Amino acid sequence: MRGLILCLLVGASQARLAPPSGQQLHKPTALSKVSTGGATKKRPASEQLTPSETVLAGACARLVAQTILHPLDVIRTRSQTKNPIEATLLEALPFGLAPQMLLSVPAGSIQFAMVKYWRTQIEAAFGDRCTSTAAGRFFTQLFAAAGGAACAGSVRIPQEVVKQGCMAEMYPNAIDAVRTISEEKGVAGFYKGAVATISRDVAWNSLSFALFRVFLEAFAVQSAQLNYALGIVAGCLAACATHPIDVIKTRIMTSSSDAASVGIVEGLKNLVDEEGPGVLLSGLVPRLLYLGPLASLVLATNEVIASILIAGRK
């Protein structure tokens, strides 16, 4: 699997450095075609893909990003859980990697395909109002990203349950986690903490995607380095806004009790009463270090792969 990721990264680099003969392959930008006061810019590569190409690019982007940043996800989970931790940090780094990689592929496919679908539906329903103003573009991206994240939850929630169970040392490995959850809880066990996870994912994805687009429009100069930096800022701001939900989500998923029956607001209130307000900031630093680059890596890798797919048509 590491070989696959390496090939994707090398292939992306070669495609950007060596475009087809006689053709200049431009670096993709996140806002390459938007109507602004009568002016029209070229649409980003990801918005020119067919549905099947969108699925492929989204799957690869999510796989690369989540695999590279997996160690930070382990640190975040270990800092939020109340489960007793025995393994050292170095020993725990590969915990949960298998479900992380395996399920990131369908999660990325569904998310990007549904973002494209909802953006198309919104633009069809509201016409030029979605592209002619900054507010229209912001809310189009906001709601499209929210719809994509909500649909991807069908895979993201089981991924989080199994992955975080392994990270918190509730299970020795992913196979044992799947077997234990199936025997004790059935299918419903894989959707423990579903409300908290969907709430967090929808809020973070919609905010990070929409903020990224706003930041790009605020800068006249576009470059890959700038896009990466702006992606980090957007991801971090969205992470700060949604962090308390992430804390209660982790507690629910790594708890052996029926904490899942407690609502988000009540669960947060109970945490503050028992452990003080500081608990709402637990794991914030590793989460910022994880979600900032995650937002940038997912968006940038998706655009690179989209450019390769488009160039390959010719």
Side-chain angles (χ1 to χ4, degrees):
M1 187 63 74
R2 287 179 295 183
L4 171 60
I5 296 169
L6 181 60
C7 289
L8 285 172
L9 295 175
V10 172
S13 301
Q14 290 178 340
R16 295 178 70 181
L17 293 173
S21 177
Q23 177 186 351
Q24 179 66 36
L25 180 61
H26 298 282
K27 292 181 180 179
T29 59
L31 285 177
S32 6
K33 185 174 185 183
V34 177
S35 295
T36 53
T40 301
K41 299 179 181 180
K42 187 179 178 183
R43 294 178 72 86
S46 60
E47 294 184 15
Q48 302 176 45
L49 298 179
T50 65
S52 60
E53 290 172 337
T54 299
V55 167
L56 175 60
C60 293
R62 192 86 193 185
L63 172 63
V64 169
Q66 286 197 279
T67 302
I68 291 175
L69 299 172
H70 179 77
L72 291 173
D73 200 13
V74 173
I75 296 172
R76 174 186 66 86
T77 299
R78 286 166 62 92
S79 65
Q80 291 178 349
T81 185
K82 289 188 70 176
N83 281 19
I85 300 297
E86 297 181 0
T88 65
L89 178 58
L90 188 60
E91 293 171 336
L93 289 181
F95 291 179
L97 181 59
Q100 178 91 289
M101 296 178 67
L102 181 63
L103 295 179
S104 65
V105 172
S109 297
I110 294 172
Q111 180 179 2
F112 278 90
M114 296 310 297
V115 167
K116 182 181 182 71
Y117 170 79
W118 287 116
R119 184 189 298 115
T120 301
Q121 295 300 310
I122 293 170
E123 290 177 352
F126 296 98
D128 290 343
R129 285 177 290 180
C130 295
T131 58
S132 59
T133 66
R137 293 188 293 275
F138 174 83
F139 284 108
T140 297
Q141 186 69 4
L142 185 76
F143 290 116
C151 293
S154 60
V155 176
R156 287 278 298 131
I157 298 170
Q159 180 191 37
E160 289 288 295
V161 170
V162 176
K163 175 193 73 177
Q164 290 200 312
C166 294
M167 291 176 177
E169 300 182 31
M170 296 172 64
Y171 314 103
N173 54 62
I175 295 177
D176 184 76
V178 172
R179 181 173 58 250
T180 302
I181 295 170
S182 299
E183 292 175 351
E184 295 182 356
K185 301 288 185 178
V187 175
F190 292 100
Y191 289 88
K192 184 179 182 180
V195 174
T197 303
I198 287 293
S199 299
R200 182 207 62 176
D201 282 2
V202 167
W204 182 79
N205 279 280
S206 58
L207 281 174
S208 59
F209 274 57
L211 287 172
F212 183 66
R213 185 166 290 245
V214 168
F215 293 157
L216 284 173
E217 289 193 15
F219 289 82
V221 179
Q222 293 294 316
S223 69
Q225 293 80 4
L226 177 61
N227 289 350
Y228 181 80
L230 294 178
I232 290 178
V233 174
C236 286
L237 289 175
C240 288
T242 60
H243 190 69
I245 303 177
D246 185 64
V247 173
I248 189 62
K249 189 270 307 180
T250 300
R251 288 296 181 88
I252 291 173
M253 287 188 170
T254 60
S255 172
S256 57
S257 65
D258 293 328
S261 61
V262 178
I264 296 175
V265 175
E266 183 181 354
L268 289 172
K269 182 178 180 301
N270 292 341
L271 279 180
V272 172
D273 290 343
E274 294 172 5
E275 304 178 40
V279 69
L280 300 182
L281 299 178
S282 60
L284 177 59
V285 172
R287 187 164 184 254
L288 291 175
L289 293 174
Y290 175 69
L291 288 182
L294 178 66
S296 288
L297 277 174
V298 169
L299 292 170
T301 305
N302 185 60
E303 290 298 329
V304 168
I305 296 172
S307 295
I308 295 172
L309 292 172
I310 291 172
R313 297 174 186 169
K314 302 174 181 179

